[in-house]
């Protein structure tokens, strides 16, 4: 699919953060991108006020574009558990088979203590909610995922030690078989939407069908708002001319190449086919229509092949209500009839009905203020939405009917949008807000520490976001073989030469160590420093060759390849981000010594532009994790992956990830990831830089028990423990 920045992004992109299936891109200013392997999985975008623009689907806050998370439960991003910390604990054996409420969805929790909600807590985030359906790729952002976490319940969540907990008061999973992998998901009786409509198997069918991709007919591209337009066989977007002709779009002829806006009189050809703007590599493996239980409370899914991270993906995680989708798409007012009609459409593969359902799923839930239709923002969890002042402030109130999960102690949460990190810090100092995750810089930390006498406390630690540099290899630029007559060896030499100039150690020493003295260069694409597999994978992935800046080696590579200097390289990163600006300056100064001219391409809309590598040659941002998984980084590196914006294609990498998804042996999992990373380094995909330092600030005079975790939803994971002081 061809993608551009002008209102065109089909990846899991998050404003300034990317979400990755279990990973989301993250920008230290709040909108990171979530690594997205499966849109509703665990990808979430953004990292809160800290995001610098990393990308949920996914989709980086720090300039990272999130757009990930997988279809619901996949790894979402906004958004990123990154698979960094896994050591194979999710390996299964026959003892798990047939145990209802066993470890199919995590560690069973059991009944929760009752609580009396009271008081108010005010939270600041850097980006506004733009959609009540985080399960589309264009809405897979941390800013959306945060609110979804507050408003929705599901089968599982991560606790403070990153254990996956089965909220068995909501529902249970039962592994019926390992060969083939067969899982039953059951919703408990009494669990309902805030309008009183029970959550049933119909909602699970919608959650599976919309994100699986199994019903998509293809031949489309998605605009930024999720609407689908037609493409030709080569993926070119089709435009309707004033004369009534349908032609492939062309820059300068049909749209302004600077603004990407269509010229007057031209319009895109809307797609009439079935195409959901969602993607789940997990549920893509469930091609057989799930069996619905006789009581209508459960579905049983049979996988075509084993999927190692199946626990992170469930067919319900705050997805739109089937009865609301049925009403909006099919015009059926009765909730029971409406949701049955949705199930019938999927079961019968009714193209006409599914096209209407897809359009509603993709676009009807995108709002930046309080909708008139309450069905758009129904709650299934702790809080209901009472007010939403356009992109400015949300008011969430404890759900009086919610009994199937952790019980909140705070009655009202005021969720304020403060994009400027300096303004957010000042708001905390002025006691206008109580909790925030500011951009972690030396200056911001020093300022916050100065407010200790006002009750401000800080919590430090690495986040689940890591910074990385990637190269565009299919845009005709300096890293593309096409620029050298198809000579792949020359293009690789240029990429490797620039990699030799990256001052990774200096970046960490000057920008990260002052905040976290224990910080070190990150040398793995898939593992967090300190994770069980980190040292072993780093020892075998080849990053040691780039441990130090080697200007002479870079010059030699360029000379041997016959490449004339200076080599112009357009660099894409987040604007209004002091740390990213400093990173760029350090990289540009070092690269210049070897003959590279790094061109400043910072942009305030960098996240939505990641999918358009025609405007840049090199990008750096962050990925944020939303789950602890094994294969969740696949979308970043495989051919055509949702987060692989650069045209990188390697058949060996693709094959290794295919093997990994079906491998339960931890030793082989580690071997596979080592082989993947070695190929990424050897072929010049780019390099990881550092783990993002994190700081959470809160005023203990007004709120207690704030205890963030590294992965999304960071500060909100234990919101039920918060108490208004």
């Amino acid at each position: 699919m061809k993608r551009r920045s002008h209102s065109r992004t089909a990846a899991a992109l998050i404003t300034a953060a990317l979400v990755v299936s279990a990973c989301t891109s993250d920008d230290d200013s709040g909108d990171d991108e979530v690594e997205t392997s499966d849109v509703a999985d665990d990808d979430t975008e953004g990292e809160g006020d800290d995001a610098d623009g990393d990308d949920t689907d996914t989709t980086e806050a720090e300039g990272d574009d999130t757009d990930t998370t997988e279809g619901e439960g996949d790894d979402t991003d906004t958004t990123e558990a990154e698979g960094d910390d896994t050591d194979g604990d999710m390996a299964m054996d026959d003892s798990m088979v047939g145990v209802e409420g066993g470890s199919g969805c995590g560690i069973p929790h059991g009944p929760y203590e009752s609580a009396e909600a009271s008081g108010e807590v005010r939270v600041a985030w850097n980006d506004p909610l733009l959609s009540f359906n985080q399960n589309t790729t264009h809405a897979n952002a941390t800013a959306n995922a945060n609110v979804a976490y507050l408003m929705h319940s599901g089968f599982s969540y991560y606790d403070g030690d990153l254990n996956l907990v089965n909220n068995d008061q909501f529902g249970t999973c039962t592994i019926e078989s390992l060969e083939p992998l067969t899982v039953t998901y059951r919703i408990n009786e009494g669990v309902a939407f805030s309008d009183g409509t029970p959550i049933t198997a119909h909602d699970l069918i919608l959650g599976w069908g919309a994100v699986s991709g199994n019903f998509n007919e293809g031949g489309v591209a998605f605009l930024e708002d999720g609407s689908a337009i037609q493409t030709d066989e080569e993926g070119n977007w089709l435009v309707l001319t004033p004369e009534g002709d349908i032609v492939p779009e062309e820059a300068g002829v049909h749209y302004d190449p600077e603004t990407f806006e269509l010229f007057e009189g031209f319009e895109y050809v809307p797609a009439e086919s079935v195409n959901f703007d969602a993607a789940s590599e997990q549920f893509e493996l469930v091609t057989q229509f799930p069996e619905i239980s006789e009581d209508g409370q459960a579905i049983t899914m049979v996988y075509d092949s084993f999927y190692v991270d199946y626990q992170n993906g469930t067919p319900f995680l705050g997805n739109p209500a089937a009865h609301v989708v049925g009403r909006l798409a099919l015009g059926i007012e009765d909730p029971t009839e409406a949701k049955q009609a949705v199930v019938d459409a999927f079961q019968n593969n009714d193209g006409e009905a599914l096209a209407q359902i897809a359009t509603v799923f993709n676009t009807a839930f995108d709002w930046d203020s309080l909708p008139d239709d309450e069905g758009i923002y129904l709650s299934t969890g702790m809080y209901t939405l009472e007010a939403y002042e356009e992109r400015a402030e949300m008011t969430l109130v404890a759900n009086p009917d919610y009994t199937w999960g952790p019980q909140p102690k705070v009655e009202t949460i005021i969720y304020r949008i403060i994009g400027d990190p300096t303004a957010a810090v000042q708001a905390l100092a002025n006691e206008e807000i109580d909790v925030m995750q500011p951009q972690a810089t030396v200056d911001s930390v020093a300022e916050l520490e100065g407010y200790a006498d006002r009750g401000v406390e800080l919590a430090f630690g690495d986040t689940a976001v890591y910074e990385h540099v990637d190269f565009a290899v299919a845009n005709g630029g300096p890293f593309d073989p096409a620029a050298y007559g198809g000579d792949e060896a020359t293009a690789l030499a240029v990429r490797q030469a620039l990699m030799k100039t990256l001052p990774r150690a200096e970046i960490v020493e000057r920008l990260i160590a002052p905040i976290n003295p224990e910080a070190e260069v990150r040398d793995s694409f898939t593992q967090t420093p300190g994770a069980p597999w980190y040292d072993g994978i780093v020892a075998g992935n080849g990053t040691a060759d780039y441990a130090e800046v080697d200007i002479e080696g870079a010059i030699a590579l360029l000379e041997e390849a016959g490449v004339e200097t200076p080599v112009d390289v357009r660099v894409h990163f987040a604007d209004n981000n002091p740390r990213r600006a400093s990173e760029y300056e350090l990289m540009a100064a070092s690269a210049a010594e070897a003959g590279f001219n790094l061109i400043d391409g910072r942009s305030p809309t960098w996240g939505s532009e990641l999918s358009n590598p025609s405007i840049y040659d090199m990008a750096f941002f962050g990925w944020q994790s939303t789950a602890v998984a094994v294969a969740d980084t696949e979308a970043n590196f495989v051919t055509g992956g949702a987060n692989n914006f650069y045209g990188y294609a390697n058949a060996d990498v693709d094959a290794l990830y295919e093997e990994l998804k079906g491998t339960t042996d931890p030793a082989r999992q580690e071997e596979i990831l080592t082989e993947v990373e070695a190929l990424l380094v050897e072929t010049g995909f780019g390099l990881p830089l550092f783990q993002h330092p994190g700081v959470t600030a809160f005023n203990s005079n007004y709120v207690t028990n704030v205890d963030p975790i590294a992965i999304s939803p960071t500060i909100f994971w234990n919101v039920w423990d918060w108490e208004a002081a």
Side-chain angles (χ1 to χ4, degrees):
M1 176 186 298
K2 186 168 77 169
R3 303 168 183 165
R4 287 202 186 82
S5 62
H6 59 304
S7 67
R8 314 172 169 196
T9 173
L13 300 180
I14 301 170
T15 312
L18 289 173
V19 175
V20 188
S21 149
C23 288
T24 55
S25 96
D26 182 35
D27 198 349
D28 284 45
S29 55
D31 234 1
D32 302 337
E33 198 139 297
V34 171
E35 287 182 70
T36 177
S37 60
D38 287 349
V39 169
D41 274 2
D42 296 320
D43 291 344
T44 301
E45 194 179 68
E47 190 188 23
D49 296 346
D50 236 350
D52 313 26
D54 301 344
D55 264 5
T56 118
D57 136 10
T58 95
T59 117
E60 171 187 42
E62 242 184 345
D64 309 349
D65 224 41
T66 130
D67 339 280
T68 105
T69 297
E70 214 174 31
E72 186 126 72
D74 283 6
D75 280 17
T76 170
D77 327 316
T78 164
T79 0
E80 291 184 358
E82 235 186 9
D84 295 359
D85 297 337
T86 182
D87 60 356
D89 290 340
M90 297 175 73
M92 298 178 298
D93 56 51
D94 291 338
S95 66
M96 300 174 63
V97 175
V99 181
E100 182 175 4
S103 55
C105 289
I107 303 170
H109 187 282
Y112 296 88
E113 295 182 3
S114 60
E116 188 69 31
S118 63
E120 174 182 286
V121 172
R122 302 159 297 174
V123 182
W125 203 258
N126 70 307
D127 275 328
L129 175 138
L130 299 178
S131 179
F132 292 97
N133 180 13
Q134 64 166 337
N135 299 312
T136 63
T137 57
H138 71 275
N140 181 26
T142 298
N144 298 329
N146 287 342
V147 179
Y149 189 84
L150 294 172
M151 293 181 62
H152 295 291
S153 186
F155 286 98
S156 58
Y157 59 87
Y158 281 95
D159 68 12
D161 296 319
L162 299 188
N163 296 306
L164 186 64
V165 176
N166 172 207
N167 177 14
D168 49 8
Q169 303 305 290
F170 172 89
T172 58
C173 298
T174 301
I175 301 174
E176 310 290 356
S177 169
L178 293 178
E179 297 182 4
L181 178 60
T182 305
V183 185
T184 294
Y185 300 92
R186 170 167 290 276
I187 303 289
N188 294 344
E189 294 283 352
V191 178
F193 292 97
S194 52
D195 66 353
T197 303
I199 301 175
T200 61
H202 307 77
D203 300 290
L204 304 185
I205 292 296
L206 173 61
W208 157 75
V211 306
S212 68
N214 296 329
F215 297 90
N216 288 0
E217 297 175 356
V220 304
F222 291 99
L223 300 181
E224 190 175 45
D225 64 0
S227 57
I229 62 172
Q230 290 186 23
T231 64
D232 62 18
E233 293 181 356
E234 297 179 351
N236 297 305
W237 299 25
L238 297 180
V239 172
L240 180 65
T241 70
E243 295 75 29
D245 298 324
I246 296 178
V247 297
E249 67 170 4
E250 182 177 347
V253 176
H254 304 123
Y255 69 88
D256 186 331
E258 296 295 326
T259 66
F260 300 105
E261 296 294 331
L262 286 175
F263 294 130
E264 185 176 356
F266 296 92
E267 60 184 72
Y268 291 116
V269 179
E272 298 178 354
S273 56
V274 178
N275 281 283
F276 290 90
D277 180 25
S280 168
E281 292 166 356
Q282 175 176 349
F283 290 139
E284 182 181 357
L285 299 176
V286 182
T287 57
Q288 178 181 326
F289 191 86
E291 178 184 348
I292 300 175
S293 64
E294 291 186 4
D295 63 1
Q297 291 297 121
I299 65 172
T300 298
M301 306 173 73
V302 180
Y303 286 75
D304 297 346
S305 59
F306 188 80
Y307 187 78
V308 67
D309 293 323
Y310 86 94
Q311 287 180 312
N312 286 319
T314 61
F316 189 88
L317 182 61
N319 52 268
H323 68 282
V324 174
V325 171
R327 170 169 59 82
L328 297 175
L330 308 175
I332 302 174
E333 294 294 329
D334 180 79
T336 302
E337 295 179 5
K339 61 184 179 180
Q340 183 60 51
V342 170
V343 170
D344 292 342
F346 282 108
Q347 190 160 23
N348 301 326
N349 202 6
D350 183 340
E352 181 178 354
L354 287 176
Q356 296 170 308
I357 290 171
T359 297
V360 167
F361 185 89
N362 294 347
T363 63
F365 298 87
D366 294 348
W367 290 78
D368 60 2
S369 60
L370 192 70
D372 293 331
D373 185 346
E374 182 183 1
I376 299 296
Y377 59 97
L378 292 179
S379 168
T380 65
M382 292 175 286
Y383 290 92
T384 60
L385 183 63
E386 185 174 271
Y388 186 11
E389 180 182 345
E390 184 176 350
R391 300 194 180 199
E393 182 175 291
M394 310 181 79
T395 301
L396 298 112
V397 179
N399 183 353
D401 300 321
Y402 168 72
T403 60
W404 46 85
Q407 299 296 296
K409 299 180 179 67
V410 174
E411 173 68 20
T412 304
I413 291 181
I414 304 299
Y415 190 100
R416 293 186 57 190
I417 311 304
I418 306 178
D420 183 346
T422 301
V425 171
Q426 192 59 51
L428 185 69
N430 294 340
E431 300 185 358
E432 298 167 3
I433 61 173
D434 308 320
V435 185
M436 65 177 294
Q437 280 191 323
Q439 180 175 358
T441 65
V442 175
D443 292 339
S444 66
V445 170
E447 182 176 359
L448 287 166
E449 289 177 334
Y451 299 132
D453 60 341
R454 305 184 193 183
V456 173
E457 297 185 15
L458 305 182
F460 294 92
D462 282 340
T463 70
V465 179
Y466 78 93
E467 195 86 343
H468 54 97
V469 172
D470 307 329
F471 301 134
V473 297
N475 67 344
F479 305 124
D480 183 355
Y484 311 100
D487 188 338
E488 295 185 4
T490 297
L492 174 59
V494 176
R495 296 197 297 273
Q496 292 174 330
L498 185 52
M499 288 164 63
K500 286 180 176 294
T501 74
L502 292 177
R504 300 193 299 151
E506 183 181 9
I507 288 173
V508 171
E509 178 182 357
R510 296 181 60 174
L511 304 180
I512 309 303
I515 304 169
N516 176 13
E518 303 301 319
E520 58 186 51
V521 172
R522 171 162 165 158
D523 282 318
S524 171
F525 291 95
T526 67
Q527 305 296 302
T528 301
W533 293 348
Y534 181 81
D535 290 340
I537 287 179
V538 168
N541 69 6
T543 52
D545 294 340
Y546 300 94
E548 303 292 338
V549 170
D550 181 6
I551 299 300
E552 292 184 359
I555 293 173
L557 278 174
L558 294 176
E559 291 179 346
E560 291 171 9
V563 175
E564 296 183 1
T565 57
V567 177
D568 289 339
V569 178
R570 299 167 297 168
V571 185
H572 197 56
F573 60 101
D575 195 7
N576 300 323
N577 187 306
R579 186 166 73 200
R580 290 257 159 80
S582 297
E583 289 177 58
Y584 164 74
E585 292 168 0
L586 292 172
M587 286 189 267
S590 180
E593 296 183 37
F596 288 98
N597 175 34
L598 300 194
I599 300 170
D600 188 336
R602 72 186 72 190
S603 169
T605 55
W606 68 273
S608 62
E609 295 163 354
L610 277 177
S611 58
N612 180 23
S614 66
I615 66 173
Y616 68 89
D617 306 306
M618 166 180 156
F620 65 95
F621 57 90
W623 286 117
Q624 179 181 11
S625 296
T626 61
V628 176
V630 175
D632 62 322
T633 52
E634 175 186 22
N636 301 350
F637 310 120
V638 298
T639 303
N643 301 325
N644 178 358
F645 310 106
Y646 322 110
Y648 179 82
N650 186 295
D652 292 331
V653 169
D654 296 347
L656 285 166
Y657 268 111
E658 280 301 310
E659 180 185 353
L660 180 62
K661 289 188 294 185
T663 299
T664 59
D665 175 29
R668 180 53 187 156
Q669 290 170 351
E670 181 178 358
E671 290 175 355
I672 291 172
L673 288 172
T674 303
E675 293 176 44
V676 165
E677 293 203 20
L679 286 168
L680 295 175
V681 174
E682 179 185 336
T683 57
F685 179 90
L687 284 173
L689 296 176
F690 57 82
Q691 203 73 21
H692 284 207
V695 58
T696 296
F698 63 96
N699 192 324
S700 59
N701 291 327
Y702 298 101
V703 61
T704 58
N705 300 328
V706 176
D707 184 23
I709 59 175
I711 64 177
S712 178
T714 61
I715 60 174
F716 296 106
W717 83 267
N718 72 330
V719 67
W720 52 81
D721 287 330
W722 292 5
E723 294 188 52

